[in-house]
Amino acid sequence: MNEEQSVRFATALKRLSGDVELLSSMAMIVSDDVPGIVAELEEQLEAGDSAGVVASAHKLKGMCSTFETGHPVTALEDVLHAARGGDVATARELYQRCQPDLRELMQEISKLAQS
């Protein structure tokens, strides 16, 4: 883990009692699994499948919350709430707004997994 990653994931490391190896292992798992979950979520949003959106957004939020508790995790929580209420159109909008930040977080997690 380089210095930039130590700063970026300082809160996550604190939650893991400074266990860099554990955080790196979790990054490997998440970076492998997230692309499939994102693809599922996007398909479900397009299909209007609120139950599927809830399930996939919940998985994605859980994986991301290991590394980040702010945005985009909070935005995924909003996607979840909209989908639970059956408002897939709003869930889709909210997801589209958080996509750039989600992609950035996923890239950072992927770099951590490779380090």
Side-chain angles (χ1 to χ4, degrees), residues 6-82:
S6 294
V7 171
R8 170 63 178 96
F9 296 114
T11 304
L13 279 169
K14 186 176 179 180
R15 286 193 305 272
L16 296 173
S17 301
D19 192 334
V20 173
E21 190 174 316
L22 177 58
L23 186 64
S24 294
S25 295
M26 294 173 83
M28 284 186 251
I29 294 166
V30 168
S31 64
D32 286 344
D33 292 347
V34 162
I37 294 169
V38 166
E40 276 180 13
L41 176 59
E42 290 174 356
E43 288 173 18
Q44 293 157 340
L45 284 165
E46 285 306 310
D49 176 4
S50 61
V53 170
V54 169
S56 294
H58 183 73
K59 286 183 219 174
L60 187 57
K61 180 183 152 269
M63 291 180 153
C64 291
S65 66
T66 299
F67 303 91
E68 178 63 64
T69 56
H71 194 73
V73 174
T74 54
L76 289 170
E77 183 68 30
D78 294 339
V79 170
L80 268 167
H81 286 301

Coordinates of all heavy atoms in Angstrom, one line a residue, residues 6-82:
S6 N -2.8 4.9 1.6 CA -2.9 4.9 3.1 C -3.8 6.1 3.5 O -4.6 6.0 4.5 CB -1.5 5.1 3.7 OG -0.8 3.9 3.5
V7 N -3.6 7.2 2.8 CA -4.4 8.4 3.1 C -5.9 8.2 2.7 O -6.8 8.5 3.4 CB -3.8 9.7 2.5 CG1 -4.7 10.9 2.6 CG2 -2.4 10.0 3.1
R8 N -6.0 7.7 1.5 CA -7.4 7.5 0.9 C -8.2 6.6 1.7 O -9.4 6.8 1.9 CB -7.2 7.0 -0.5 CG -8.5 6.6 -1.2 CD -9.5 7.7 -1.3 NE -10.7 7.3 -2.0 CZ -11.9 7.0 -1.3 NH1 -11.9 7.0 0.0 NH2 -13.0 6.7 -2.0
F9 N -7.6 5.5 2.2 CA -8.3 4.5 2.9 C -8.0 4.5 4.4 O -8.1 3.5 5.1 CB -8.0 3.1 2.3 CG -8.5 3.0 0.9 CD1 -7.6 2.8 -0.1 CD2 -9.8 3.0 0.6 CE1 -8.0 2.7 -1.4 CE2 -10.3 2.9 -0.7 CZ -9.4 2.7 -1.7
A10 N -7.6 5.6 5.0 CA -7.3 5.7 6.4 C -8.4 5.3 7.3 O -8.2 4.6 8.3 CB -6.8 7.2 6.7
T11 N -9.6 5.7 7.0 CA -10.8 5.4 7.8 C -11.0 3.9 7.8 O -11.3 3.3 8.8 CB -12.0 6.2 7.4 OG1 -11.7 7.6 7.4 CG2 -13.2 5.9 8.3
A12 N -10.9 3.3 6.6 CA -11.1 1.9 6.5 C -10.1 1.1 7.3 O -10.4 0.2 8.0 CB -11.1 1.5 5.0
L13 N -8.8 1.6 7.2 CA -7.8 0.9 7.9 C -8.0 1.1 9.4 O -7.8 0.1 10.2 CB -6.4 1.6 7.6 CG -5.8 1.0 6.3 CD1 -4.6 1.9 5.9 CD2 -5.3 -0.4 6.5
K14 N -8.5 2.2 9.9 CA -8.8 2.4 11.3 C -9.9 1.4 11.7 O -9.8 0.8 12.8 CB -9.3 3.8 11.5 CG -9.5 4.1 13.0 CD -9.9 5.6 13.2 CE -10.1 5.9 14.6 NZ -10.5 7.3 14.9
R15 N -10.9 1.2 10.9 CA -12.0 0.2 11.2 C -11.4 -1.2 11.3 O -12.0 -2.1 12.0 CB -13.1 0.3 10.2 CG -14.0 1.5 10.4 CD -15.3 1.4 9.6 NE -15.1 1.1 8.1 CZ -14.9 2.0 7.2 NH1 -14.9 3.3 7.5 NH2 -14.8 1.7 5.9
L16 N -10.3 -1.5 10.6 CA -9.7 -2.8 10.5 C -8.5 -2.9 11.4 O -7.7 -3.7 11.3 CB -9.4 -3.2 9.1 CG -10.5 -3.3 8.1 CD1 -10.0 -3.5 6.7 CD2 -11.4 -4.4 8.5
S17 N -8.4 -2.0 12.4 CA -7.3 -1.9 13.3 C -5.9 -1.9 12.7 O -5.0 -2.5 13.1 CB -7.4 -3.1 14.3 OG -8.6 -3.2 15.0
G18 N -5.9 -1.2 11.5 CA -4.6 -1.0 10.8 C -4.1 -2.2 10.0 O -3.0 -2.2 9.6
D19 N -5.0 -3.2 9.8 CA -4.6 -4.4 9.2 C -4.6 -4.2 7.6 O -5.6 -4.4 6.9 CB -5.5 -5.5 9.5 CG -5.0 -6.9 9.1 OD1 -4.2 -7.0 8.1 OD2 -5.4 -7.9 9.8
V20 N -3.4 -3.8 7.1 CA -3.2 -3.5 5.7 C -3.5 -4.8 4.9 O -4.1 -4.7 3.8 CB -1.8 -2.9 5.4 CG1 -1.6 -2.8 3.9 CG2 -1.7 -1.6 6.1
E21 N -3.0 -5.9 5.4 CA -3.1 -7.1 4.6 C -4.6 -7.5 4.5 O -5.0 -8.0 3.4 CB -2.4 -8.3 5.3 CG -2.3 -9.5 4.5 CD -1.4 -10.6 5.2 OE1 -0.3 -10.2 5.7 OE2 -1.8 -11.7 5.2
L22 N -5.4 -7.3 5.5 CA -6.8 -7.6 5.4 C -7.5 -6.7 4.4 O -8.3 -7.1 3.6 CB -7.5 -7.5 6.8 CG -9.0 -7.8 6.9 CD1 -9.3 -9.1 6.3 CD2 -9.5 -7.6 8.3
L23 N -7.2 -5.4 4.5 CA -7.8 -4.5 3.6 C -7.4 -4.8 2.1 O -8.3 -4.8 1.2 CB -7.4 -3.0 3.9 CG -8.1 -1.9 3.1 CD1 -9.6 -1.9 3.4 CD2 -7.5 -0.6 3.4
S24 N -6.2 -5.2 1.9 CA -5.7 -5.6 0.5 C -6.5 -6.8 0.1 O -6.9 -6.9 -1.1 CB -4.2 -5.8 0.5 OG -3.6 -4.6 0.7
S25 N -6.6 -7.8 1.0 CA -7.4 -9.0 0.6 C -8.8 -8.7 0.3 O -9.4 -9.3 -0.7 CB -7.3 -10.0 1.8 OG -6.0 -10.4 2.0
M26 N -9.4 -7.8 1.0 CA -10.8 -7.5 0.8 C -10.9 -6.7 -0.6 O -11.9 -6.9 -1.3 CB -11.3 -6.6 1.9 CG -11.4 -7.4 3.2 SD -11.9 -6.4 4.6 CE -13.7 -6.4 4.4
A27 N -9.9 -5.9 -0.9 CA -9.9 -5.2 -2.2 C -9.8 -6.2 -3.3 O -10.5 -6.0 -4.3 CB -8.7 -4.2 -2.2
M28 N -9.0 -7.3 -3.2 CA -9.0 -8.3 -4.2 C -10.3 -8.9 -4.5 O -10.8 -9.1 -5.6 CB -8.0 -9.3 -3.9 CG -6.5 -8.9 -4.1 SD -5.4 -10.3 -3.8 CE -4.6 -9.8 -2.3
I29 N -11.0 -9.2 -3.4 CA -12.3 -9.9 -3.5 C -13.3 -8.9 -4.2 O -14.0 -9.2 -5.1 CB -12.9 -10.3 -2.1 CG1 -12.0 -11.4 -1.6 CG2 -14.3 -10.7 -2.2 CD1 -12.2 -11.7 -0.1
V30 N -13.4 -7.7 -3.6 CA -14.3 -6.7 -4.2 C -14.0 -6.3 -5.6 O -14.9 -6.3 -6.4 CB -14.3 -5.4 -3.3 CG1 -15.0 -4.3 -3.9 CG2 -14.9 -5.7 -1.9
S31 N -12.8 -6.2 -6.0 CA -12.5 -5.8 -7.3 C -12.8 -6.9 -8.3 O -13.1 -6.6 -9.5 CB -11.0 -5.4 -7.5 OG -10.1 -6.4 -7.2
D32 N -12.8 -8.1 -7.9 CA -13.2 -9.3 -8.7 C -14.7 -9.3 -8.9 O -15.3 -9.6 -9.9 CB -12.7 -10.6 -8.1 CG -11.2 -10.8 -8.4 OD1 -10.6 -10.1 -9.2 OD2 -10.7 -11.7 -7.7
D33 N -15.5 -9.1 -7.8 CA -16.9 -9.2 -7.8 C -17.7 -8.1 -8.2 O -18.8 -8.2 -8.8 CB -17.4 -9.6 -6.3 CG -16.9 -11.0 -5.9 OD1 -16.4 -11.7 -6.7 OD2 -17.0 -11.3 -4.7
V34 N -17.2 -6.9 -8.1 CA -18.0 -5.7 -8.3 C -18.5 -5.5 -9.8 O -19.6 -5.2 -10.1 CB -17.3 -4.4 -7.8 CG1 -17.8 -3.1 -8.5 CG2 -17.4 -4.3 -6.3
P35 N -17.6 -5.8 -10.8 CA -18.1 -5.6 -12.2 C -19.3 -6.4 -12.5 O -20.3 -5.9 -13.1 CB -16.9 -6.1 -13.0 CG -15.7 -5.8 -12.1 CD -16.2 -6.2 -10.7
G36 N -19.4 -7.6 -12.0 CA -20.6 -8.4 -12.3 C -21.9 -7.9 -11.6 O -23.0 -7.8 -12.1
I37 N -21.7 -7.4 -10.3 CA -22.8 -6.8 -9.6 C -23.3 -5.5 -10.2 O -24.5 -5.2 -10.3 CB -22.4 -6.6 -8.1 CG1 -22.2 -8.0 -7.5 CG2 -23.5 -5.8 -7.4 CD1 -21.5 -7.9 -6.1
V38 N -22.3 -4.7 -10.7 CA -22.7 -3.4 -11.4 C -23.4 -3.7 -12.6 O -24.5 -3.1 -12.9 CB -21.4 -2.6 -11.6 CG1 -21.7 -1.5 -12.6 CG2 -20.8 -2.0 -10.4
A39 N -23.0 -4.7 -13.4 CA -23.7 -5.1 -14.6 C -25.1 -5.6 -14.3 O -26.1 -5.2 -15.0 CB -22.9 -6.2 -15.4
E40 N -25.3 -6.4 -13.3 CA -26.6 -6.8 -12.8 C -27.5 -5.7 -12.5 O -28.7 -5.6 -12.9 CB -26.5 -7.7 -11.6 CG -26.2 -9.2 -11.8 CD -26.1 -9.9 -10.5 OE1 -26.5 -9.4 -9.4 OE2 -25.6 -11.1 -10.5
L41 N -26.9 -4.8 -11.7 CA -27.7 -3.6 -11.2 C -28.2 -2.8 -12.4 O -29.3 -2.4 -12.4 CB -26.9 -2.8 -10.2 CG -27.5 -1.5 -9.7 CD1 -28.8 -1.7 -9.0 CD2 -26.5 -0.7 -8.8
E42 N -27.3 -2.5 -13.3 CA -27.6 -1.7 -14.5 C -28.7 -2.4 -15.3 O -29.6 -1.7 -15.8 CB -26.4 -1.4 -15.3 CG -25.5 -0.4 -14.5 CD -24.2 -0.1 -15.2 OE1 -23.9 -0.7 -16.2 OE2 -23.4 0.7 -14.6
E43 N -28.6 -3.7 -15.5 CA -29.7 -4.4 -16.2 C -31.0 -4.3 -15.5 O -32.1 -4.1 -16.1 CB -29.3 -5.9 -16.4 CG -28.2 -6.1 -17.4 CD -27.7 -7.5 -17.4 OE1 -28.4 -8.4 -16.9 OE2 -26.5 -7.8 -17.9
Q44 N -31.0 -4.5 -14.2 CA -32.2 -4.4 -13.4 C -32.8 -3.0 -13.4 O -34.1 -2.9 -13.4 CB -31.9 -4.9 -12.0 CG -31.6 -6.4 -11.9 CD -30.7 -6.8 -10.7 OE1 -30.1 -6.0 -10.1 NE2 -30.7 -8.1 -10.4
L45 N -32.0 -2.0 -13.4 CA -32.5 -0.6 -13.4 C -33.2 -0.4 -14.8 O -34.3 0.2 -14.8 CB -31.4 0.4 -13.2 CG -30.9 0.5 -11.8 CD1 -29.5 1.3 -11.8 CD2 -31.9 1.3 -11.0
E46 N -32.6 -0.9 -15.8 CA -33.2 -0.7 -17.2 C -34.5 -1.5 -17.3 O -35.4 -1.1 -18.0 CB -32.2 -1.1 -18.3 CG -31.1 -0.1 -18.5 CD -31.7 1.3 -18.8 OE1 -32.5 1.5 -19.6 OE2 -31.2 2.2 -18.1
A47 N -34.5 -2.7 -16.7 CA -35.7 -3.6 -16.8 C -36.8 -3.1 -15.9 O -37.9 -3.7 -15.9 CB -35.3 -5.0 -16.5
G48 N -36.5 -2.2 -14.9 CA -37.5 -1.8 -14.0 C -37.8 -2.8 -12.9 O -38.9 -2.9 -12.3
D49 N -36.8 -3.7 -12.6 CA -36.9 -4.7 -11.6 C -36.5 -4.2 -10.2 O -35.4 -4.3 -9.8 CB -36.0 -5.9 -12.1 CG -35.9 -7.0 -11.1 OD1 -36.7 -7.0 -10.1 OD2 -35.1 -8.0 -11.3
S50 N -37.5 -3.7 -9.5 CA -37.2 -3.1 -8.2 C -36.6 -4.0 -7.2 O -35.7 -3.7 -6.5 CB -38.4 -2.4 -7.6 OG -39.5 -3.3 -7.4
A51 N -37.1 -5.3 -7.2 CA -36.6 -6.3 -6.2 C -35.1 -6.6 -6.6 O -34.3 -6.7 -5.7 CB -37.4 -7.5 -6.2
G52 N -34.8 -6.7 -7.8 CA -33.5 -7.0 -8.3 C -32.5 -5.8 -8.0 O -31.4 -6.0 -7.5
V53 N -33.1 -4.6 -8.2 CA -32.3 -3.4 -7.9 C -31.9 -3.4 -6.4 O -30.8 -3.1 -6.0 CB -33.0 -2.1 -8.3 CG1 -32.3 -0.9 -7.8 CG2 -33.1 -2.1 -9.8
V54 N -32.9 -3.7 -5.6 CA -32.7 -3.7 -4.1 C -31.6 -4.6 -3.8 O -30.6 -4.3 -3.0 CB -34.0 -4.0 -3.3 CG1 -33.7 -4.2 -1.9 CG2 -35.0 -2.8 -3.5
A55 N -31.7 -5.9 -4.3 CA -30.7 -6.9 -4.0 C -29.3 -6.5 -4.4 O -28.3 -6.6 -3.7 CB -31.1 -8.2 -4.6
S56 N -29.2 -6.1 -5.7 CA -27.9 -5.7 -6.2 C -27.3 -4.5 -5.6 O -26.1 -4.4 -5.3 CB -27.9 -5.6 -7.8 OG -28.3 -6.8 -8.4
A57 N -28.1 -3.5 -5.4 CA -27.6 -2.2 -4.8 C -27.2 -2.5 -3.3 O -26.2 -1.9 -2.9 CB -28.7 -1.1 -4.8
H58 N -27.9 -3.4 -2.7 CA -27.5 -3.7 -1.3 C -26.1 -4.4 -1.3 O -25.3 -4.1 -0.4 CB -28.6 -4.6 -0.7 CG -28.3 -5.0 0.8 ND1 -28.4 -4.1 1.8 CD2 -27.8 -6.2 1.3 CE1 -28.1 -4.7 2.9 NE2 -27.7 -5.9 2.6
K59 N -25.9 -5.4 -2.2 CA -24.6 -6.0 -2.3 C -23.5 -5.0 -2.6 O -22.4 -5.0 -1.9 CB -24.6 -7.1 -3.4 CG -25.4 -8.3 -3.1 CD -25.2 -9.2 -4.3 CE -26.5 -10.0 -4.6 NZ -26.4 -10.7 -5.9
L60 N -23.7 -4.2 -3.6 CA -22.7 -3.2 -4.0 C -22.4 -2.2 -2.8 O -21.3 -1.9 -2.6 CB -23.2 -2.4 -5.2 CG -22.3 -1.5 -5.9 CD1 -21.0 -2.2 -6.3 CD2 -23.0 -0.9 -7.1
K61 N -23.4 -1.8 -2.2 CA -23.3 -0.8 -1.0 C -22.4 -1.5 0.1 O -21.5 -0.9 0.6 CB -24.6 -0.4 -0.5 CG -24.5 0.5 0.7 CD -25.9 0.9 1.2 CE -25.9 1.2 2.6 NZ -26.1 0.1 3.6
G62 N -22.7 -2.8 0.4 CA -22.0 -3.5 1.4 C -20.5 -3.6 1.0 O -19.7 -3.4 1.9
M63 N -20.2 -3.9 -0.2 CA -18.9 -4.1 -0.6 C -18.1 -2.8 -0.6 O -17.0 -2.7 -0.1 CB -18.8 -4.6 -2.0 CG -19.2 -6.1 -2.1 SD -19.1 -6.6 -3.8 CE -18.9 -8.4 -3.5
C64 N -18.8 -1.7 -1.0 CA -18.1 -0.4 -1.0 C -17.9 0.2 0.4 O -17.0 0.9 0.7 CB -18.9 0.6 -1.8 SG -18.9 0.3 -3.6
S65 N -18.8 -0.2 1.3 CA -18.8 0.4 2.6 C -17.6 -0.1 3.4 O -17.2 0.5 4.5 CB -20.1 0.2 3.4 OG -20.3 -1.2 3.6
T66 N -17.0 -1.1 3.0 CA -15.7 -1.6 3.6 C -14.6 -0.5 3.5 O -13.8 -0.3 4.3 CB -15.2 -2.9 2.9 OG1 -16.2 -3.9 3.1 CG2 -13.9 -3.4 3.5
F67 N -14.7 0.2 2.3 CA -13.6 1.1 2.0 C -14.0 2.6 2.2 O -13.2 3.4 2.3 CB -13.2 0.9 0.5 CG -12.8 -0.5 0.3 CD1 -13.7 -1.5 -0.1 CD2 -11.5 -0.9 0.5 CE1 -13.3 -2.8 -0.3 CE2 -11.0 -2.2 0.3 CZ -12.0 -3.1 -0.1
E68 N -15.3 2.9 2.1 CA -15.8 4.2 2.1 C -17.2 4.2 2.8 O -18.0 3.4 2.6 CB -16.0 4.7 0.7 CG -16.5 6.1 0.5 CD -15.6 7.2 1.2 OE1 -14.5 7.4 0.7 OE2 -16.1 7.8 2.2
T69 N -17.4 5.2 3.7 CA -18.7 5.4 4.3 C -19.5 6.6 3.8 O -20.7 6.7 4.1 CB -18.6 5.4 5.8 OG1 -17.7 6.5 6.2 CG2 -18.1 4.1 6.4
G70 N -18.8 7.5 3.1 CA -19.4 8.7 2.5 C -19.9 8.4 1.1 O -20.3 7.3 0.8
H71 N -19.8 9.4 0.3 CA -20.3 9.3 -1.1 C -19.3 8.4 -1.8 O -18.1 8.5 -1.6 CB -20.3 10.7 -1.7 CG -21.1 10.7 -3.0 ND1 -22.4 10.6 -3.1 CD2 -20.6 10.7 -4.3 CE1 -22.8 10.6 -4.4 NE2 -21.7 10.7 -5.1
P72 N -19.6 7.5 -2.6 CA -20.9 7.1 -3.2 C -21.7 6.1 -2.4 O -22.8 5.8 -2.9 CB -20.5 6.5 -4.6 CG -19.2 5.8 -4.3 CD -18.5 6.7 -3.3
V73 N -21.3 5.7 -1.3 CA -22.0 4.7 -0.5 C -23.4 5.3 -0.1 O -24.4 4.6 -0.2 CB -21.2 4.2 0.7 CG1 -22.1 3.3 1.6 CG2 -20.0 3.4 0.2
T74 N -23.3 6.6 0.3 CA -24.6 7.2 0.8 C -25.6 7.3 -0.4 O -26.8 7.2 -0.3 CB -24.3 8.6 1.4 OG1 -23.5 9.4 0.5 CG2 -23.6 8.5 2.7
A75 N -25.0 7.5 -1.6 CA -25.8 7.6 -2.8 C -26.4 6.2 -3.1 O -27.6 6.2 -3.6 CB -25.0 8.1 -4.0
L76 N -25.7 5.2 -2.9 CA -26.3 3.8 -3.1 C -27.4 3.5 -2.2 O -28.3 2.9 -2.5 CB -25.2 2.8 -3.0 CG -24.2 2.8 -4.2 CD1 -23.0 1.8 -3.9 CD2 -24.9 2.3 -5.5
E77 N -27.3 4.1 -1.0 CA -28.3 4.0 0.0 C -29.6 4.6 -0.5 O -30.7 4.1 -0.3 CB -27.9 4.6 1.4 CG -28.9 4.4 2.5 CD -29.1 3.0 2.9 OE1 -28.2 2.2 2.9 OE2 -30.3 2.7 3.3
D78 N -29.4 5.8 -1.1 CA -30.6 6.5 -1.7 C -31.2 5.7 -2.8 O -32.4 5.6 -3.0 CB -30.2 7.9 -2.2 CG -29.8 8.8 -1.1 OD1 -30.2 8.6 0.1 OD2 -29.0 9.8 -1.4
V79 N -30.4 5.0 -3.6 CA -30.9 4.1 -4.7 C -31.7 3.0 -4.1 O -32.8 2.7 -4.6 CB -29.7 3.5 -5.5 CG1 -30.2 2.4 -6.5 CG2 -29.0 4.6 -6.3
L80 N -31.2 2.4 -3.0 CA -31.9 1.4 -2.3 C -33.3 1.8 -1.8 O -34.3 1.1 -2.0 CB -31.1 0.9 -1.1 CG -30.1 -0.2 -1.2 CD1 -29.2 -0.3 -0.1 CD2 -30.9 -1.5 -1.4
H81 N -33.3 3.0 -1.2 CA -34.6 3.5 -0.7 C -35.6 3.7 -1.8 O -36.8 3.4 -1.6 CB -34.4 4.8 0.1 CG -33.7 4.6 1.5 ND1 -34.3 3.8 2.5 CD2 -32.6 5.1 2.0 CE1 -33.5 3.9 3.5 NE2 -32.5 4.6 3.2
A82 N -35.2 4.3 -2.9 CA -36.1 4.5 -4.0 C -36.6 3.2 -4.5 O -37.8 3.0 -4.8 CB -35.4 5.3 -5.1

